[in-house]
Amino acid sequence: MFDAAVFGSLFLTLFVIMDPPGITPIFLALTAGRPGKVQKRMAFQAVCVAGGVIVVFGLLGHQILNYLHVSVPALMIAGGLLLLLIALDLLTGKTDEPKQTKDVNVALVPLGMPLLAGPGAIVSVILAVQKADSVATQVSVWCAILAIHVVLWVVMRYSLLIIRVIKDGGVVLVTRLAGMMLSAIAVQQIINGVTQVIKGA
């Protein structure tokens, strides 16, 4: 009742797309200045949000996109634009403002979606669920989805130890680095979406 090949393939695909090591500096930058307890809660919330989005699209992905008349490239471009706005805030230091720190729950956006549950992860899960034509492969697909979210939670949960080492100056440096990385990810996502639109034209 378990297909190791399907599990391994989807887990590796989602690991590359959702990138647990790469999310660490972005998570640290977006949650900087918050109490440790709040940061831990936000790590859990981000994983829950991402998991919820992935599950919904895994079960109803094609129906949702068809109902809204939204193509996958459009989803990619929209996600890229949203990430670019967040990246610009990180690069300019706007996330350091007290109002933003207190009022904005970054666990929902952009961490939960579209950083973790982005277009790439959503499409991969939709395709994997569609191809799973037996109980064993279905179980393997959902186990892979659960496993990658556990990994994401562990990475973000324990990345908070880094803050104690790098102090405030290091957090500022990580924030700027995360902004650069995030802007590159956003631009690449937009390029990928536009390329798919052109190919489909």
Side-chain angles (χ1 to χ4, degrees):
M1 295 294 289
F2 188 81
D3 190 325
V6 171
F7 173 88
S9 176
L10 181 58
F11 180 83
L12 287 175
T13 299
L14 292 176
F15 189 92
V16 170
I17 293 172
M18 301 175 91
D19 191 17
I23 202 70
T24 300
I26 297 171
F27 174 76
L28 292 176
L30 291 173
T31 60
R34 293 173 171 84
K37 190 177 291 187
V38 173
Q39 291 174 317
K40 292 173 186 176
R41 186 173 71 243
M42 293 177 79
F44 183 72
Q45 286 177 338
V47 170
C48 288
V49 169
V53 171
I54 291 292
V55 168
V56 169
F57 274 94
L59 296 173
L60 305 168
H62 270 296
Q63 294 91 322
I64 293 172
L65 294 180
N66 289 338
Y67 177 77
L68 296 174
H69 303 290
V70 174
S71 66
V72 172
L75 192 64
M76 295 176 73
I77 294 170
L81 290 172
L82 178 58
L83 288 181
L84 190 56
L85 290 174
I86 303 297
L88 291 175
D89 278 349
L90 290 175
L91 284 169
T92 57
K94 288 185 179 178
T95 51
D96 296 334
E97 296 174 7
K99 183 177 183 298
Q100 186 124 344
T101 299
K102 291 177 183 176
D103 298 341
V104 176
N105 188 352
V106 296
L108 308 180
V109 178
L111 276 174
M113 184 176 182
L115 268 179
L116 297 181
I122 289 172
V123 171
S124 297
V125 168
I126 290 174
L127 294 176
V129 171
Q130 275 190 329
K131 291 177 183 176
D133 53 3
S134 68
V135 174
T137 51
Q138 284 281 353
V139 169
S140 303
V141 164
W142 291 107
C143 283
I145 292 170
L146 176 62
I148 191 63
H149 283 82
V150 170
V151 170
L152 285 165
W153 175 76
V154 170
V155 168
M156 288 192 292
R157 168 69 173 76
Y158 291 100
S159 67
L160 300 177
L161 298 173
I162 298 173
I163 290 181
R164 298 177 187 173
V165 177
I166 62 176
K167 308 297 183 184
D168 291 343
V171 169
V172 172
L173 179 61
V174 167
T175 300
R176 301 299 181 265
L177 176 63
M180 289 182 62
M181 290 169 55
L182 199 54
S183 61
I185 292 170
V187 171
Q188 187 61 56
Q189 194 162 294
I190 293 170
I191 290 171
N192 292 344
V194 171
T195 302
Q196 287 194 26
V197 169
I198 294 172
K199 285 181 178 178

